[in-house]
Amino acid sequence: AMLPNDGFYSLAATESATVRPDGRCLLFLNGVTRQGQQSRPLVYRSMDDGTDFHFMSFVAPRDTRYEGLTLMYPRGLMLPSGRLLCTLRVDRDWAGDMWTEVYASDDGGRTWGFLSRATEFGAPSAPLRLRDGRLVMVYGQRLAPGIRAVVSEDDGRTWSGEIIVREDGGSWDGGYPRAWEAAPGRIGVAYYFNTKDDPVQVKATGRQ
């Protein structure tokens, strides 16, 4: 079934669905309210068994802190406490100047509040909760092309320093990881990437 627009000009999916403890499925999307406007991260909620979804909430507010920036690629993560986390790519320049912020909801996704900035540079991030309770965020770093990660031991309130997964990137265009716990404490990651010795490199055409 097609998602209803619910008054939006357009919607974009980011492959992020999360199921609440009550069985309701949440879809994390980007929506444009009117033609020509920037998109906003938002949540749709299932009304039944997952075949009918409708708009429930915006994740981030409209305020001066985000003027000139683009917020995109929301990804949801449910914690055992019932708190929902949503990671956002905050983008000032698609060739590198971007970072990851985390928002939290304690009412099932109806309202959201800023929780932390997980990365100094690097996005979008793949949030993952390990079986030992730690949160891991894997992301692409475009200013110094490579794959990085950070770890939180307090449910996303604070984050470790940057862990270098690899730093042999060629062009800036890489990342978009998907992460999973392959074994206790061992993480598998899929992403796209090219190395410095690749004969084909993507060049930025200017700031966006």
Side-chain angles (χ1 to χ4, degrees):
M2 297 288 289
L3 283 177
N5 273 27
D6 280 2
F8 291 99
Y9 175 76
S10 65
L11 293 168
T14 55
E15 302 177 20
S16 181
T18 300
V19 178
R20 297 191 320 199
D22 64 1
R24 298 301 186 187
C25 182
L26 305 181
L27 300 180
F28 292 82
L29 312 168
N30 271 85
V32 176
T33 53
R34 290 192 297 274
Q35 187 174 10
Q37 287 191 339
Q38 286 188 321
S39 63
R40 295 182 65 187
L42 54 88
V43 181
Y44 265 45
R45 199 208 82 174
S46 64
M47 303 300 293
D48 48 25
D49 59 358
T51 60
D52 183 27
F53 287 83
H54 289 278
F55 169 78
M56 183 170 68
S57 62
F58 288 109
V59 175
R62 286 193 182 278
D63 61 34
T64 55
R65 189 165 72 94
Y66 291 118
E67 285 183 3
L69 303 175
T70 301
L71 280 63
M72 63 180 84
Y73 295 107
R75 290 177 176 172
L77 181 67
M78 175 66 71
L79 300 181
S81 65
R83 166 171 277 195
L84 275 164
L85 301 184
C86 178
T87 63
L88 298 177
R89 167 178 162 178
V90 182
D91 194 342
R92 198 178 70 85
D93 176 7
W94 52 263
D97 190 358
M98 61 183 69
W99 58 90
T100 299
E101 292 187 358
V102 183
Y103 275 74
S105 173
D106 291 313
D107 57 9
R110 289 185 290 274
T111 60
W112 296 86
F114 176 81
L115 182 64
S116 63
R117 176 167 168 167
T119 69
E120 293 179 357
F121 298 101
S125 295
L128 174 67
R129 185 179 185 275
L130 303 183
R131 278 170 273 186
D132 64 13
R134 291 179 294 167
L135 301 183
V136 176
M137 206 87 76
V138 184
Y139 54 93
Q141 221 278 40
R142 293 185 171 188
L143 292 175
I147 304 298
R148 309 284 192 267
V150 290
V151 179
S152 174
E153 297 185 356
D154 56 9
D155 287 341
R157 294 176 183 85
T158 62
W159 296 88
S160 72
E162 191 171 66
I163 300 167
I164 296 176
V165 178
R166 60 186 302 177
E167 54 183 344
D168 57 336
S171 56
W172 56 269
D173 192 8
Y176 294 84
R178 294 293 184 271
W180 65 95
E181 190 171 13
R186 187 174 179 86
I187 300 168
V189 183
Y191 52 88
Y192 76 89
F193 193 80
N194 73 328
T195 57
K196 295 176 181 178
D197 59 357
D198 195 312
V200 177
Q201 300 289 339
V202 177
K203 302 297 183 182
T205 58
R207 301 190 70 83
Q208 301 294 308

